[in-house]
């Protein structure tokens, strides 16, 4: 089916009918995994093995004030986990990381893939815009979902996110599934279902995933708006961030460090991350 | 929505998604009635009042060997109920009445509407091919259902059949919903649901409908094939038809006669219909 979508032998109306059937009937985890795999292989699949044995990536389902990546990526890089993150723009009412980074004058958000990889090798972290060469089937499917009322389906959301993560080549994937009135998943049960689905797909496709469900009943931190959010991220890297954002960054970071064996347990991981903040090393990585 | 389908402002992919949603979620009887009404009014709606106060029509959901209309129309015409039937060609594995009539050399199945009406006035019965001017929205919707796996939905089937019946202008509509392994509706419960839905639509739109659910576990009569079926219909009009076909024609005819007050009860109606057969009057109407 994905080949047919890519070479236009499957018509939009047939795909639209199928998407609506999935919305109401769901898919098994095996079906969702096969779909994700085919979508990931519909374009280029990055090989990041030259960076090192562990390469981290992080994805949030989005929420107002969510500037977590701006803190998380340099913090993990400072902890010795290379972070290779391809990020999107805002969808719906939430801003995207790329939009926020563009508030920094001169910041380049469209690195070519070779430059992106070499920056991860040199600095330990890169965040760049999603390229159309990765999982192009997702782009085609998403644009049809957008105009046929078929966006809000857990297997379709899971396949969309995970196909891009898998094509992007990392092997330590941290997912932050937002839950609440300000999130796409309003209820905890739906957020848990999405998180579990994505974790199962990652496991089945040999890309370990750690997922958390976090609160989005209100904006994260105090700052909302691209420039203000970058400023708040910097304050957080200095140790002066709002409590909720700081706690989320430490929790996600500890999960990453324990998942790949960089820390023995959550307590050790948190101590290390707090040290990287108080010493200024995480902030220095952001500046690099 | 029907206006948008007719002027192409609603895209095929949006309609396809909607059709699939209806397949899985259904529609209320009010929604189905509104859809039917809009589809009926998407083209010409025939005014048959010049024929008389009662004009009959009959529809079968189709089955192998179903040549009932070839007997029913002249039989009812002989009983004094004018029959104005626009009929379709075969769908799927069942033959259509128009296909069967074309087995008669020289038989015209594409009468213009004015000629169709004048023939009903003169002879008491006409059967002609469906014109594209009646319920054209149904044609557009059906061709999309055919390629998107959305044919088998009771509200969509009911709206399709009833929109054409309503546009065709009759006011005594007899529906024969086939049920069994040889029919589109395999189970009695689905056949009853379709019959009930169509009857409710007719009632709501001021076109009284009488519907029966009849057996299609095996072909109707013995003859299968256009020419053979016409021959068997003629034998039935002579009183020599197979028992099942004869019984179905008498049952449907008695329903029509009692529905419009032409007969006091079913027994009287059956006696009259049997008389029209044994006297040769029904056969004479067929010849006309």
């Amino acid at each position: 089916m994905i080949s047919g979508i890519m070479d236009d032998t499957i018509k939009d109306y047939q795909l639209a009918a199928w998407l609506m059937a999935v919305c109401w009937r769901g898919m098994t985890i095996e079906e969702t995994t096969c779909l994700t795999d085919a979508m990931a292989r519909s374009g280029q699949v990055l090989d990041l093995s030259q960076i090192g044995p562990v390469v981290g990536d992080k994805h949030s389902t989005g929420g107002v004030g969510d500037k977590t990546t701006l803190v998380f990526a340099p913090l993990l890089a400072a902890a010795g986990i290379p972070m290779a993150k391809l990020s999107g723009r805002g969808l719906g009412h939430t801003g995207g990381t790329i939009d926020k980074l563009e508030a920094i004058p001169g910041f380049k958000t469209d690195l070519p893939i070779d430059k992106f990889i070499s920056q991860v090798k040199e600095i330990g972290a890169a965040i760049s815009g999603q390229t159309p060469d990765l999982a192009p089937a997702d782009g085609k499917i998403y644009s049809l979902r957008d105009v046929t009322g078929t966006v809000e389906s857990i297997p379709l959301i899971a396949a969309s996110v995970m196909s891009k993560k898998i094509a992007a080549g990392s092997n330590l994937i941290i997912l932050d599934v937002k839950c609440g009135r300000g999130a796409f998943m309003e209820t905890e049960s739906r957020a848990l279902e999405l998180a579990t689905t994505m974790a199962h797909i990652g496991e089945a496709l040999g890309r370990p995933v750690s997922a958390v469900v976090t609160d989005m009943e209100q904006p994260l931190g105090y700052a909302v708006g691209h420039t203000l959010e970058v400023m708040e991220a910097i304050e957080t890297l200095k140790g002066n961030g709002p409590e909720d954002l700081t706690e989320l960054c430490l929790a996600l970071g500890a999960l990453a460090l324990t998942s790949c064996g960089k820390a023995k347990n959550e307590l050790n991981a948190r101590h290390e991350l707090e040290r990287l903040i108080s010493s200024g090393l995480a902030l220095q990585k952001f500046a690099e």
Side-chain angles (χ1 to χ4, degrees), chain A:
Chain A
M1 188 184 80
I2 295 298
S3 300
I5 291 169
M6 292 308 294
D7 67 13
D8 286 325
T9 54
I10 290 184
K11 303 293 177 204
D12 275 357
Y13 53 79
Q14 291 180 310
L15 180 56
W18 181 81
L19 290 168
M20 187 59 89
V22 171
C23 277
W24 291 111
R25 298 289 293 171
M27 286 203 288
T28 66
I29 189 68
E30 290 76 17
E31 289 166 339
T32 311
T33 300
C34 284
L35 175 67
T36 306
D37 190 33
M39 285 166 68
R41 289 188 287 101
S42 67
Q44 192 182 5
V45 177
L46 299 189
D47 176 2
L48 302 183
S49 59
Q50 57 177 297
I51 294 172
V54 175
V55 182
D57 195 356
K58 175 223 167 234
H59 181 81
S60 158
T61 59
V64 176
D66 185 6
K67 70 283 288 179
T68 313
T69 296
L70 303 181
V71 180
F72 182 82
L75 181 58
L76 271 278
I81 297 179
M83 290 295 296
K85 170 140 178 67
L86 293 172
S87 201
R89 293 189 182 273
L91 280 180
H93 64 284
T94 70
T97 300
I98 290 300
D99 303 312
K100 293 170 196 181
L101 282 169
E102 284 179 347
I104 302 172
F107 196 98
K108 276 186 163 170
T109 57
D110 56 350
L111 298 181
I113 291 297
D114 57 341
K115 176 77 187 144
F116 173 77
I117 292 175
S118 68
Q119 183 177 315
V120 179
K121 284 164 76 175
E122 284 162 33
I123 301 175
I127 302 175
S128 185
Q130 194 81 47
T131 100
D133 300 335
L134 296 192
D138 176 63
K140 289 198 169 207
I141 294 172
Y142 191 87
S143 59
L144 199 56
R145 285 168 62 204
D146 194 36
V147 292
T148 54
T150 55
V151 168
E152 291 187 32
S153 153
I154 284 176
L156 294 180
I157 296 170
S160 173
V161 170
M162 289 301 296
S163 66
K164 284 180 289 192
K165 293 291 118 185
I166 283 164
S170 66
N171 58 10
L172 174 67
I173 302 171
I174 305 293
L175 300 176
D176 181 9
V177 179
K178 301 295 190 187
C179 161
R181 284 179 299 162
F184 287 106
M185 301 287 111
E186 293 212 0
T187 65
E188 191 173 323
S189 66
R190 273 180 64 82
L192 277 169
E193 192 185 337
L194 176 59
T196 308
T197 304
M198 294 196 290
H200 278 151
I201 294 170
E203 194 185 350
L205 297 178
R207 304 291 185 93
V209 165
S210 299
V212 288
V213 170
T214 68
D215 181 70
M216 191 45 75
E217 282 292 321
Q218 52 187 7
L220 188 63
Y222 299 114
V224 176
H226 302 333
T227 305
L228 296 172
E229 291 188 41
V230 172
M231 290 166 67
E232 190 169 71
I234 293 171
E235 285 305 310
T236 305
L237 284 164
K238 287 181 181 169
N240 305 322
E243 198 181 338
D244 59 350
L245 176 61
T246 302
E247 169 56 25
L248 179 60
C249 292
L250 292 174
L252 292 174
L255 189 62
L257 262 59
T258 52
S259 295
C260 70
K262 280 258 176 198
K264 269 192 295 196
N265 55 43
E266 196 192 340
L267 196 65
N268 286 11
R270 280 178 174 258
H271 282 320
E272 171 64 3
L273 294 168
E274 283 164 354
R275 187 188 67 80
L276 292 168
I277 292 174
S278 60
S279 64
L281 288 167
L283 180 65
Q284 186 188 321
K285 207 42 98 177
F286 181 90
E288 287 173 27

